[in-house]
Amino acid sequence: MDQETIVYGIIRDVASNDPAFLQKSRLVNCDAILGLTDIDAFPYLTTSMFSIPTEELEQGTYQTQVIHFAGSYQAVEYHWEDWIAKFEQLLKRMYWVSATVHLETELSGNHTFQWDSPGAYHAPSDELYVHCEWEHELSFSRARP
């Protein structure tokens, strides 16, 4: 079987007491995600990978709307710079406080990428800042008697 890579994460939007700003920022974010294609060239980043929660308190949106996403790929780590470029293009068009991407690979372990806004939040076209934490989980195969 080929190498499978799992990519998943969240984008935290802006928490605000200003209903007009929240409506605007969430509409911009929704439009950015819906602006992705349904079919994309590898490494794909498509609308169907994302889930945007409703505005209802009882449905998972207290103050911060958490947009989550996930996908499974064949060895996307060899094309990771291309995937990151697509993801950052999406982030540039959105309002958010932070974004986290987890990359789980079969051969090179797990990686976590974090984008943080240097101010109160990122607005479309602001600069992006990223740091990477790398984890490698070792697994040992033991011969059983």
Side-chain angles (χ1 to χ4, degrees), residues 118-132:
Y121 59 87
H122 174 276
S125 300
D126 285 351
E127 284 293 317
L128 298 176
Y129 298 92
V130 63
H131 70 268
C132 174

Side-chain angles (χ1 to χ4, degrees), residues 36-137:
L36 296 171
T37 60
D38 290 330
I39 299 174
D40 191 17
F42 188 82
Y44 55 87
L45 187 70
T46 62
T47 301
S48 64
M49 295 174 61
F50 290 82
S51 180
I52 303 170
T54 66
E55 296 292 321
E56 300 300 318
L57 175 64
E58 295 83 15
Q59 302 300 317
T61 302
Y62 170 55
Q63 292 178 348
T64 303
Q65 189 179 59
V66 180
I67 300 167
H68 48 282
F69 57 90
S72 133
Y73 298 84
Q74 179 183 4
V76 75
E77 59 270 27
Y78 298 111
H79 306 274
W80 193 239
E81 287 182 21
D82 297 331
W83 192 94
I84 289 290
K86 288 181 179 186
F87 186 70
E88 287 185 340
Q89 285 303 313
L90 174 65
L91 289 179
K92 285 180 182 179
R93 298 190 309 263
M94 298 176 68
Y95 288 90
W96 49 271
V97 173
S98 67
T100 304
V101 174
H102 299 283
L103 172 69
E104 293 183 0
T105 70
E106 291 183 7
L107 296 179
S108 59
N110 300 333
H111 306 259
T112 300
F113 298 82
Q114 179 77 33
W115 288 258
D116 295 304
S117 173
Y121 59 87
H122 174 276
S125 300
D126 285 351
E127 284 293 317
L128 298 176
Y129 298 92
V130 63
H131 70 268
C132 174
E133 300 172 14
W134 182 69
E135 304 170 2
H136 184 72
E137 297 175 6

